[in-house]
Amino acid sequence: MTKIIMHGCNGKMGQVITALCKEENDLEIVAGVDISNHITQEYPVFSRIDDCDVEADVIIDFASVKAVDALLAYSVLRKIPVVLCTTGLDSQKEQALEQASKNVAVLKSANMSLGINLLMDVLKKAVHVLASAGFDMEIIEKHHNQKIDAPSGTALALAEVLNEELDHGYTYQFDRTKERKKRDKQEIGIHAVRGGNIVGEHEVIFAGTDEVITFSHTAYSKQVFAKGAIEAAKFLKGKPKGLYHMGDVIEAK
């Protein structure tokens, strides 16, 4: 049985994970943390993570970026591994995360979807063949009209996968309206679409001469991210200190 503390339990993702865990025989949410008390959960809920004294195997975090520092400090103090799903970390919090991973197991990913992370693995192989053959690379991401950041963290992560495999020899182009010129061969275009209630769509396009190859992923509900976080929690239970990623979860399957 994997015992979980749900950090951000009363948020949208926290509620989805709570519902999914009820369907799992080998999972139990033993406590939650949330500043909001508008929902009554079947487990105890603490307004501050420092007040949580419940024994657990792993923490799943889908809270605010403002709560990351306290979360990491608690994880290190209690030696409880943490699946960090909160995005938008600045350089200071990224450093705090790396420091925490020297004392406890921490798993972080720009996107918790198993499908997206499998796509990243496929791209690592495809980019070597296609980029060397002269294919141009473009990324298009689509999200709902309430999403604040653009491009998405996942789009940037996809671009970084391509760039890392190519020894960081490419630049990112976010806006082609700033100057009139031909497309640079050593660039990756990244484009954002916002509208309606699109959960999340990402396309990686390799455009060559008389040939286009597109890799795409579509999320139809938030459950795909919740399921990924749950799989990550199962994976992280009992793991030694260190920084882990969703790629590690996929490799373990």
Side-chain angles (χ1 to χ4, degrees):
M1 178 69 71
T2 300
K3 297 181 179 180
I4 296 170
I5 294 173
M6 184 65 234
H7 190 243
C9 62
N10 289 340
K12 291 181 179 179
M13 287 304 303
Q15 294 177 57
V16 174
I17 291 173
T18 296
L20 288 176
C21 284
K22 291 180 181 179
E23 302 173 3
E24 300 271 353
N25 294 326
D26 56 347
L27 290 174
E28 180 186 5
I29 298 182
V30 293
V33 179
D34 206 300
I35 58 173
S36 173
N37 60 1
H38 69 289
I39 296 175
T40 301
Q41 301 287 5
E42 296 178 1
Y43 46 79
V45 177
F46 302 86
S47 60
R48 297 173 64 253
I49 193 166
D50 290 341
D51 296 331
C52 180
D53 57 357
V54 180
E55 295 296 322
D57 299 307
V58 64
I59 304 167
I60 296 180
D61 163 66
F62 263 109
S64 166
V65 68
K66 297 178 182 179
V68 167
D69 290 335
L71 168 65
L72 292 174
Y74 178 88
S75 175
V76 170
L77 179 65
R78 297 288 302 276
K79 293 293 186 290
I80 304 176
V82 57
V83 178
L84 187 66
C85 305
T86 298
T87 58
L89 275 61
D90 58 23
S91 59
Q92 183 178 2
K93 285 182 170 51
E94 289 283 0
Q95 290 177 2
L97 183 150
E98 289 192 16
Q99 188 62 37
S101 70
K102 296 177 181 179
N103 298 282
V104 70
V106 179
L107 188 148
K108 175 183 175 292
S109 177
N111 189 307
M112 298 308 297
S113 160
L114 291 173
I116 278 288
N117 285 278
L118 183 59
L119 172 60
M120 290 179 178
D121 191 52
V122 171
L123 290 175
K124 289 179 182 180
K125 301 173 183 177
V127 68
H128 289 288
V129 176
L130 299 175
S132 63
F135 281 66
D136 297 321
M137 294 175 287
E138 298 282 314
I139 296 173
I140 302 174
E141 58 96 345
K142 305 174 185 178
H143 285 87
H144 53 85
N145 57 23
Q146 300 300 303
K147 187 171 180 62
I148 297 174
D149 57 317
S152 68
T154 300
L156 293 173
L158 290 168
E160 189 62 17
V161 165
L162 301 175
N163 216 356
E164 281 186 0
E165 294 298 314
L166 299 171
D167 296 324
H168 294 280
Y170 283 66
T171 59
Y172 301 148
Q173 176 61 259
F174 301 102
D175 185 359
R176 300 193 189 282
T177 65
K178 292 182 177 179
E179 50 185 338
R180 293 173 60 84
K181 68 173 186 178
K182 290 184 178 180
R183 184 190 194 283
D184 191 329
K185 292 296 295 183
Q186 298 296 114
E187 74 179 30
I188 300 172
I190 305 176
H191 316 277
V193 176
R194 297 289 175 267
N197 63 347
I198 301 171
V199 175
E201 297 181 20
H202 293 86
E203 292 184 358
V204 180
I205 302 169
F206 291 89
T209 302
D210 300 329
E211 186 176 21
V212 176
I213 300 172
T214 301
F215 296 89
S216 65
H217 176 272
T218 301
Y220 292 103
S221 77
K222 293 182 181 296
Q223 282 201 8
V224 299
F225 311 118
K227 289 178 179 177
I230 288 172
E231 291 300 315
K234 292 178 181 179
F235 165 83
L236 207 60
K237 177 185 176 181
K239 285 291 185 294
K241 62 185 178 182
L243 185 57
Y244 299 85
H245 304 279
M246 284 300 290
D248 299 314
V249 179
I250 291 174
E251 286 184 10
K253 286 189 170 297

